[in-house]
Amino acid sequence: MKRFAILVVLMLLGVCNIEASPKKDSDMAGYLFVYFTGNHISQEAVCYALSQDGYNFKKLNDGKPVLDSKIISSTGGVRDPHILRSQDGKWFYMVVTDMVSDNGWDSNRAMVMLKSKDLVNWEHSVINMQKKYPGQERLKRVWAPQTVYDANEGKYMVYWSMKHGNGPDIIYYAYANKDFTDLEGEPKPLFLPENGKSCIDGDIVYKDGTFYMFYKTEGHGNGIKLATTKSLTGGEWTEYPDYKQQTTDAVEGAGTFKLIGSDKYILMYDVYMRGTYQFTESTDLMNFQVIDNEISMDFHPRHGTVIPITEKEYKRLEKSFGQE
C-alpha cells in the first residue's frame, strides 16, 4: 500500500508516468506496413496497409498516399519509409529518402525525419546533408534512412547510405536529437564491408544481445547480406559471405519484423526487377525459408517496413483511412 501511495505522489509531481511504459508483445493486435509504390513522383509517397496476422495485408486509403510528399519533402517525392515505435510507447518515428527518381539516382541530398503520436498526424523536418554539414561538396546521394534505439547511448540512431564522388556507398550514422527533429553531431561511418564495395539499405534488428544488419550489395551482386555486432558503435562487425535472399533475381530494401507471440521473424525484400515482393521466415535470422504462398497483398509495395500495432491503433487507422 505504501509503494502505491509513493507511486501516486510521483505521478502527481510528474516524476513518473505509467503511460510511458513500452508496449509489450501482448498489447499488439496487428501490423502496419509502410511503403511506397514506384519510380514516378506520383508513386514516391508514403502509403499504408494493415494486417491482422503478418501474412495477409490490405491497403488503406484505397492505395493512395497518406502523406503529401510535396508538403513534407524538399524534392516533392519520398521513398524507402522506415517506421519505429519509441521506447516509451508515446511516439512513432519515421524516416524517408527525400528524392524524386526522375531527377536521377545521384540527385538527392536530403532525408526527412517525421514523428507522430497517432500514426495519422505527422510533424516533419527536412535534413539536407550539404546544407547542414561542411565538406559535403562531393556528395551525390543520401539513401534509405532507418532508425534503431541504441541502449548504450540512450538515443535513437539514424543510419543511411551516402556516396561521395566516385567512392562507394557507405552506411553512416548520427543520433537524433531529443525531439526527433534533427541530427546531432557529424555523420560517422557505421559500416562498410571488408571488400570496400558499396552497401545500401541497411536494416538493423536487435535479438538476444546482438544487432543483425541486413544490407544490399549495391552494384555488385545486388543482393542482401548480413553483418552482426554486439555494439553498434563500439564493436566489430562480423560479416557472413552468403546472400540471404531466396531468389536469383536482384533484390533490395530488406525489411525485418518479428511475428507477435512467436519466435519467428519475417525478412521481406523488394524484387525490383520483377515488380514483386518476397517474404521469407526464420527463427535465427540466419537461415530463411520462402513463404510467398502464405502471403497476400492487394497492392504492389516498394521498399518498406512493418511494425506491430495495438487494436486501438489498428481501429484508428481503419477509421482515418478506410479499408476495402
Side-chain angles (χ1 to χ4, degrees), residues 31-233:
Y31 304 82
L32 170 64
F33 192 167
V34 181
Y35 62 96
F36 79 108
T37 60
N39 293 339
H40 185 270
I41 190 170
S42 63
Q43 301 169 313
E44 291 169 323
V46 176
C47 296
Y48 281 174
L50 291 177
S51 173
Q52 293 183 332
D53 59 8
Y55 295 94
N56 301 284
F57 290 85
K58 294 286 188 179
K59 63 189 175 187
L60 286 178
N61 204 34
D62 197 28
K64 296 187 292 290
V66 298
L67 291 171
D68 189 339
S69 297
K70 295 189 296 295
I71 292 176
I72 66 172
S73 72
S74 64
T75 61
V78 300
R79 302 167 61 92
D80 319 316
H82 178 267
I83 190 168
L84 177 75
R85 187 189 297 271
S86 67
Q87 291 294 107
D88 62 12
K90 287 183 174 182
W91 290 95
F92 294 92
Y93 299 135
M94 184 157 55
V95 286
V96 296
T97 305
D98 187 344
M99 179 179 178
V100 172
S101 59
D102 282 343
N103 293 335
W105 297 112
D106 291 338
S107 65
N108 82 305
R109 307 290 183 267
M111 70 173 74
V112 185
M113 300 174 66
L114 304 102
K115 64 178 182 177
S116 173
K117 287 188 174 181
D118 60 9
L119 293 169
V120 177
N121 303 286
W122 291 86
E123 302 172 40
H124 69 277
S125 305
V126 174
I127 314 299
N128 186 295
M129 296 299 162
Q130 281 187 326
K131 294 179 179 178
K132 181 175 175 63
Y133 299 107
Q136 297 288 332
E137 293 81 11
R138 298 176 66 246
L139 178 62
K140 283 192 170 183
R141 58 200 189 199
V142 176
W143 281 1
Q146 296 203 177
T147 307
V148 64
Y149 183 69
D150 186 348
N152 288 337
E153 295 290 332
K155 295 181 179 182
Y156 294 92
M157 173 189 284
V158 181
Y159 57 101
W160 68 97
S161 67
M162 290 196 294
K163 177 181 175 68
H164 295 82
N166 295 322
D169 296 271
I170 299 172
I171 296 177
Y172 287 80
Y173 78 94
Y175 289 101
N177 65 1
K178 185 178 179 180
D179 296 325
F180 205 81
T181 57
D182 203 353
L183 300 176
E184 298 178 343
E186 296 277 338
K188 299 178 181 177
L190 177 66
F191 178 76
L192 180 67
E194 291 181 1
N195 62 18
K197 295 183 178 180
S198 288
C199 60
I200 64 170
D201 294 355
D203 180 58
I204 296 176
V205 184
Y206 183 73
K207 178 181 183 294
D208 299 334
T210 298
F211 293 95
Y212 294 73
M213 182 168 70
F214 298 92
Y215 64 93
K216 179 193 175 187
T217 54
E218 171 67 2
H220 56 105
N222 291 0
I224 293 169
K225 286 193 172 184
L226 172 67
T228 61
T229 185
K230 295 292 186 181
S231 174
L232 286 171
T233 59

Side-chain angles (χ1 to χ4, degrees), residues 1-7:
M1 189 69 181
K2 183 182 293 185
R3 181 180 177 187
F4 176 76
I6 293 172
L7 181 60

Side-chain angles (χ1 to χ4, degrees), residues 242-262:
D242 58 318
Y243 282 92
K244 297 304 181 181
Q245 77 273 13
Q246 302 299 303
T247 175
T248 57
D249 291 294
V251 303
E252 64 184 14
T256 317
F257 65 97
K258 187 175 182 293
L259 291 173
I260 300 167
S262 171

